[in-house]
Amino acid sequence: MNLSILGIPMDLGAGRRGVDMGPSALRNAHLTRALRDLGHSVTDLGDVRVDLPESVDKLAEGGMVFLESILDACQGTRDRLAALPADTFPLTIGGDHSVSMGTVTGNALRGTPSGARMGLIWVDAHTDYNTPGSSPSGNIHGMPVAHLTGLGDPRLTGLGGGWHVRPEDIVMIGIRSVDPHERDLLREAGIKAYTMKDVDQLGITRIHEETLERLSGTERLHVSFDADALDPSVCPGVGTPVPGGLTYREGHLLMELLSESGRVTSMDIVEVNPILDTRNQTAEVMVGMAASLLGQRIL
């Protein structure tokens, strides 16, 4: 398989500095070598240009933090991904989760100017379904899914030029931290979210089966994997840790099953914060998750 790695070193959407160094941490954890060892052809495309927070105005109109700079980075990400060949598997590495507004859109538009119908598998402790009006912080990394569905600020909802993810084509896994108004928005949208209670009760295998059934009508599947979906004991280097997350094996099992389905066409790894990490543990774990999605097997 032809793999293209693209870094988006951005922490503008988060409330804490450090995830801009996530792409470097993942590369230092031998991401390229791990994927080449699986037999893939890997090209590292470098990084999307991102404004430094010290060089731009923090608050944009409407109270959102660093809106213009985030929009610019997402546009750059979208354009670079949309221009890739159709037979490429893009692996995008962040960066805070607001980068997904560019990655998901760019992968949907790749080879299809009007946008392909895309299933979005959101592996995260958080649903990231706040809007500018519901967000208690104004931090955009808590809003990307809402904007991808067309809900929120028109400058961000317009990244797809009219293309949006259908709410029925989104499945969230590992959820355990949701703001009160965000919960209401999710219910109104009809997005399927598997909380950690569901993981405990149903198990990853059944959740995987139900996810693929729900997304059976989509042309492409994109996995957006936030490192904080895993328990902090597994991934300590994240900006917004929440206890009680996915175990190491639950994460790998989900990636292995998705790999076996043969349906995933692109992936994000986001929210790795080496400032808060222990000896690059989180980056190393997430490299392993990517390897499992891309064909690594125990036997």
Side-chain angles (χ1 to χ4, degrees):
M1 184 186 296
N2 295 319
L3 302 180
S4 290
I5 297 171
L6 180 64
I8 311 107
M10 181 170 74
D11 63 1
L12 299 170
R16 161 181 251 172
R17 299 297 310 276
V19 292
D20 59 321
M21 294 184 284
S24 291
L26 290 160
R27 289 178 172 118
N28 286 332
H30 307 297
L31 174 62
T32 297
R33 185 175 71 190
L35 299 178
R36 285 180 176 157
D37 285 349
L38 296 174
H40 300 300
S41 173
V42 183
T43 302
D44 193 323
L45 303 175
D47 291 340
V48 172
R49 189 196 70 81
V50 181
D51 289 335
L52 294 173
E54 296 84 3
S55 67
V56 293
D57 292 333
K58 182 174 182 178
L59 286 179
E61 181 183 347
M64 286 190 290
V65 181
F66 293 121
L67 170 61
E68 296 299 335
S69 294
I70 291 171
L71 177 61
D72 184 62
C74 286
Q75 288 171 333
T77 301
R78 173 202 63 197
D79 294 345
R80 292 186 67 176
L81 292 174
L84 290 175
D87 64 347
T88 298
F89 186 107
L91 174 59
T92 37
I93 53 177
D96 69 73
H97 220 157
S98 60
V99 304
S100 66
M101 293 182 290
T103 64
V104 174
T105 301
N107 283 308
L109 297 177
R110 184 161 45 99
T112 310
S114 60
R117 185 176 175 189
M118 176 173 281
L120 176 57
I121 301 175
W122 194 262
V123 187
D124 200 331
H126 310 87
T127 61
D128 294 345
Y129 205 70
N130 269 306
T131 64
S134 71
S135 172
S137 66
N139 292 327
I140 295 177
H141 78 154
M143 310 181 196
V145 183
H147 283 95
L148 284 167
T149 63
L151 190 65
D153 189 286
R155 289 164 288 187
L156 295 174
T157 62
L159 278 165
W163 178 88
H164 297 112
V165 182
R166 303 180 189 184
E168 63 268 27
D169 291 342
I170 300 172
V171 176
M172 299 178 169
I173 301 172
I175 302 301
R176 56 194 186 277
S177 178
V178 187
D179 293 325
H181 189 49
E182 190 180 18
R183 185 179 295 113
D184 295 335
L185 293 172
L186 278 168
R187 288 172 176 162
E188 291 171 12
I191 291 173
K192 180 62 177 178
Y194 290 99
T195 67
M196 284 308 302
K197 178 183 177 183
D198 297 318
V199 172
D200 292 340
Q201 290 183 320
L202 302 176
I204 288 295
T205 299
R206 180 171 166 187
I207 287 173
H208 164 262
E209 292 169 350
E210 292 181 359
T211 295
L212 291 190
E213 176 62 28
R214 183 177 178 88
L215 303 180
S216 60
T218 61
E219 301 168 45
R220 303 174 185 177
L221 287 184
H222 178 88
V223 173
S224 195
F225 200 144
D226 187 320
D228 72 23
L230 295 165
D231 192 77
S233 63
V234 179
C235 285
V238 299
T240 48
V242 184
L246 296 171
T247 67
Y248 180 85
R249 273 307 312 158
E250 285 171 336
H252 274 290
L253 177 58
L254 178 59
M255 295 300 104
E256 289 161 357
L257 292 172
L258 288 171
S259 175
E260 290 172 3
S261 77
R263 293 186 53 201
V264 178
T265 54
S266 51
M267 181 188 193
D268 300 328
I269 299 174
V270 298
E271 299 283 357
V272 173
N273 191 331
I275 290 177
L276 304 173
D277 207 5
T278 303
R279 301 173 66 180
N280 216 27
Q281 174 182 332
T282 300
E284 291 176 357
V285 168
M286 295 308 293
V287 166
M289 295 295 157
S292 284
L293 182 69
L294 288 162
Q296 183 167 282
R297 297 289 181 270
I298 296 171
L299 290 175

